[in-house]
Amino acid sequence: MEFGMKIRLLREEKHITVKHMAELVECTPSFISQIERGMANPSINTLKKISNALGVALVHFFDEEDPLTNNTEKYIVRKNKRKKFKSVMENTDIFLLSPSDIESKNIEMHLMVVEPGGKSDKLYTNPGEEVGYILKGKITFYLGNEKWELEEGDSIYFPGDIPHGWENTSDTEAVTLWAVTPAILRAGESLVLGETIYSASHKQ
């Protein structure tokens, strides 16, 4: 099921009007309507606000193939069964590499593919710790008031409460691998609102 349809069904189930949803998400009612009809694609930030308003985890809106039927494979994520979220606004695809239905897990892994020109909509914060590794290409990573140029083979660690974001200024896609603890897509990640990613000092 498309995530726009999921949003509409959950909204109607909770008796939330389009106007009230727009107020909760801080956008226009027409934008909510366009998202639900598949005519607009929200940023990861906007989808987080929607998931918070509807009381569900962000991962609920990730695409996935048919669910696993073999319980012995609950610890395995096959490459054709990864949950995926595509943020057209940020030109970024996020794949969940760890099982989403094990509530007791304390770590999560993501594969993030950022196309040329892709960048985070805002700076993020979360209550955990993150480690990232650049598998392919290069990416500009914003951390607090600084920014770093990371290339293939580079890695980075940081506490999640430091505002952070990314940007691909190159002409090729960047593929990055992330480990996060605790699992933020289950718990919900917070935002640093009103902060741009262009006020950082450059590091290399």
Side-chain angles (χ1 to χ4, degrees), residues 44 62 79 82-86 92-98 108-114 131 133-136 173-180 185:
I44 298 171
F62 278 48
K79 63 181 179 180
R82 295 172 182 165
K83 291 193 173 186
K84 171 187 175 183
F85 174 68
K86 182 177 184 65
T92 299
D93 292 339
I94 297 178
F95 299 86
L96 185 60
L97 302 184
S98 50
E108 198 167 70
M109 289 198 71
H110 316 138
L111 183 72
M112 189 167 72
V113 180
V114 187
V131 175
Y133 179 77
I134 312 303
L135 291 168
K136 176 185 176 184
E173 72 174 13
V175 182
T176 61
L177 182 66
W178 296 91
V180 187
L185 291 182

Side-chain angles (χ1 to χ4, degrees), residues 16 19 33 77 105 158 170:
I16 300 174
K19 181 179 179 182
S33 180
V77 178
K105 73 178 187 295
F158 55 91
S170 73

Side-chain angles (χ1 to χ4, degrees), residues 169-202:
T169 59
S170 73
D171 57 2
T172 59
E173 72 174 13
V175 182
T176 61
L177 182 66
W178 296 91
V180 187
T181 183
I184 58 176
L185 291 182
R186 182 189 65 210
E189 187 171 327
S190 63
L191 302 176
V192 177
L193 299 177
E195 185 167 351
T196 76
I197 62 173
Y198 300 108
S199 60
S201 60
H202 185 271

Side-chain angles (χ1 to χ4, degrees), residues 39-59:
M39 299 174 63
N41 204 305
S43 68
I44 298 171
N45 286 332
T46 299
L47 195 60
K48 284 180 183 295
K49 292 181 182 179
I50 291 173
S51 67
N52 288 337
L54 294 175
V56 298
L58 176 62
V59 72

Side-chain angles (χ1 to χ4, degrees), residues 1-14 16 18 21 25 31-37 40 42 46-51 53-54 56 60-61 85:
M1 183 187 299
E2 295 293 331
F3 71 82
M5 179 64 71
K6 290 181 181 179
I7 291 170
R8 192 189 75 179
L9 291 176
L10 276 172
R11 178 181 59 76
E12 293 177 345
E13 180 182 305
K14 294 177 181 294
I16 300 174
V18 171
M21 174 65 79
V25 178
F31 187 52
I32 293 293
S33 180
Q34 289 172 355
I35 291 172
E36 292 185 348
R37 289 180 291 159
T46 299
L47 195 60
K48 284 180 183 295
K49 292 181 182 179
I50 291 173
S51 67
L54 294 175
V56 298
H60 180 81
F61 299 114
F85 174 68

